[in-house]
Amino acid sequence: MPADSLEMLVWYWAGEYFYEVQDYNEGLRCATRALPLTYRAGDLMLQSDCERLVGLFHFRMSDYVQAIEHTRKCLAIDRQRGDRSRISSSLNMLAAICLVAKQLDDGERYILEAIRYSTAAGDSNRMAIQYGMASEIYHAMGKAQRALDYARRAYEIDEACGNTAKVGIRLSQMAT
């Protein structure tokens, strides 16, 4: 394996490790060292993974501008690859960042597109998560009926799948 490829993987996986142990400063340092190496290697999947990871670090550190920028790059790569599952996941992440950053119109657009992808794929677990996210966005927008409708959809899926921990979350979303 070429030395720069090995270096890329070491920095990337060190970033993943530091994300898991919640050392976001050190993780961001490692992931940003890996990022240019992923582009040099031309590995689109690893580029997407690394952009996502850098975006997550910025999100956790409340740098929403950078979080959105890197997550949009991740989404663009996922679209280029045509990976519908990853596209849906990236859109959901963008919606979550926009919710916290109070960019609710963008968050709504992202989550509705994510729901279209997960629905087309028949991915009920992801649909429940995304319906819950839509509920949170609509709640923040002051659109109570839409928020309730999406929370109810998420609840029905989670209840049917036996996701008891999630059922409580959905009931809480419905209550608000």
Side-chain angles (χ1 to χ4, degrees):
M1 173 179 284
D4 59 345
S5 294
L6 182 59
E7 181 182 2
M8 170 189 66
L9 292 172
V10 167
W11 286 120
Y12 173 77
W13 286 108
E16 286 281 359
Y17 168 77
F18 286 115
Y19 185 80
E20 287 300 315
V21 298
Q22 300 179 0
D23 186 343
Y24 301 135
N25 287 317
E26 187 62 21
L28 180 59
R29 188 183 73 75
C30 294
T32 55
R33 295 269 314 257
L35 192 56
L37 298 172
T38 66
Y39 281 88
R40 260 189 259 145
D43 183 331
L44 290 177
M45 184 173 282
L46 196 53
Q47 286 172 20
S48 171
D49 287 343
C50 202
E51 290 286 5
R52 174 198 53 80
L53 185 60
V54 170
L56 280 170
F57 282 124
H58 284 294
F59 180 52
R60 296 291 185 188
M61 297 167 73
S62 301
D63 184 348
Y64 304 128
V65 171
Q66 287 296 312
I68 289 170
E69 179 182 327
H70 286 281
T71 306
R72 282 182 179 158
K73 288 177 183 178
C74 173
L75 174 60
I77 295 165
D78 294 340
R79 287 188 195 280
Q80 182 181 350
R81 292 186 65 245
D83 188 326
R84 294 177 184 268
S85 177
R86 290 173 68 102
I87 292 168
S88 178
S89 181
S90 295
L91 287 164
N92 188 67
M93 185 172 153
L94 276 166
I97 297 166
C98 288
L99 171 63
V100 174
K102 306 292 187 230
Q103 296 178 13
L104 301 176
D105 291 335
D106 287 339
E108 177 187 28
R109 184 171 43 87
Y110 288 131
I111 199 59
L112 293 178
E113 186 179 355
I115 289 169
R116 284 193 297 275
Y117 276 99
S118 59
T119 301
D123 186 342
S124 60
N125 284 330
R126 186 166 289 165
M127 288 167 59
I129 292 166
Q130 292 170 348
Y131 286 155
M133 177 63 65
S135 176
E136 296 290 336
I137 290 170
Y138 283 122
H139 178 70
M141 295 174 96
K143 297 179 179 180
Q145 188 57 52
R146 282 192 183 169
L148 178 60
D149 291 342
Y150 278 100
R152 188 173 287 127
R153 291 179 198 179
Y155 170 81
E156 290 168 357
I157 292 170
D158 284 330
E159 185 178 49
C161 293
N163 296 334
T164 55
K166 297 286 186 177
V167 167
I169 292 169
R170 304 310 172 207
L171 287 170
S172 176
Q173 288 175 321
M174 289 166 54
T176 61

